[in-house]
């Protein structure tokens, strides 16, 4: 099977992008990152792409102030690269409906909590961990899911929990969750690239490798 063509959309540090790059370089994932798109001009993720010879592009409010033009540019890039899979790896912007329709069940997002808790509008990055600590829950975690028209509402692919300790701070909790984010995102992308994810209503079936022809 040909490696799938992947676009990774980012906004910042890019540690999840790095995990994908590393797993692809180790041939754990049968995919190729064709492009990294950032909506922030100075995102460190763009540096990471460059360091690995991957094309990076900035498409944000700075160079495309009008929403329609910005979305059209993103679609143009994704089409030009014949992208099979879009990965949102810390992408802090809501994707336009047109893109979701064009890439139905072919967009994966990583979220730093156990969805449906601590997700949706306003829950991103460290805000998620702060809300978790403020509430006092004993478990948090990470979720990888397909993207639909809602915010963090699409079918769940993988989840894993971490314990929240009494003395945890936003930083210590974020670090624990990030570790499992990397694990889950790499696994989800690997499974997608092996055609082992099947969306059945709201559920995602993970097919065993022997089920694949
Ligand atoms: C990650 O923790 C990711 O789950 C989160 O942003 C961080 C990006 O880190 N995404 C969201 O909150 C989306 N709702 P990274 O740039 O090092 O991959």
């Amino acid at each position: 099977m040909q490696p799938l063509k992947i676009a990774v959309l980012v906004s910042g540090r890019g540690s999840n992008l790095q995990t994908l790059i590393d797993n692809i370089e180790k041939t754990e994932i049968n995919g190729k990152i064709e492009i990294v798109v950032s909506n922030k001009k100075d995102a460190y993720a763009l540096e990471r792409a460059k360091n690995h010879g991957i094309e990076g592009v900035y498409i944000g409010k700075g160079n495309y102030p009008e929403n329609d033009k910005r979305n059209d540019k993103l679609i143009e890039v994704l089409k030009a690269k014949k992208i099979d899979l879009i990965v949102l790896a810390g992408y802090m912007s809501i994707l336009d409906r047109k893109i979701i329709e064009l890439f139905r069940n072919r967009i994966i997002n990583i979220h730093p909590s156990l969805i449906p808790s601590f997700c949706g509008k306003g829950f991103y990055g460290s805000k998620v961990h702060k809300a978790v600590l403020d509430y006092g829950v004993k478990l948090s975690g990470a979720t990888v899911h397909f993207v639909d028209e809602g915010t963090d509402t699409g079918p769940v692919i993988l989840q894993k929990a971490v314990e929240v300790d009494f003395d945890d701070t936003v930083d210590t909790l974020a670090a624990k969750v990030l570790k499992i984010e990397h694990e889950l995102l790499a696994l989800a992308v690997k499974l997608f690239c092996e055609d082992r994810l099947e969306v059945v209503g709201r559920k995602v079936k993970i097919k065993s490798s022997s089920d694949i022809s």
Side-chain angles (χ1 to χ4, degrees), residues 12-17 89-90 92 110-112 123-125 152 178 181:
R13 177 181 57 184
S15 71
N16 279 290
L17 165 69
M92 305 303 183
I110 176 84
H111 183 77
F123 286 97
Y124 56 87
D152 301 329
L178 194 63
E181 285 184 40

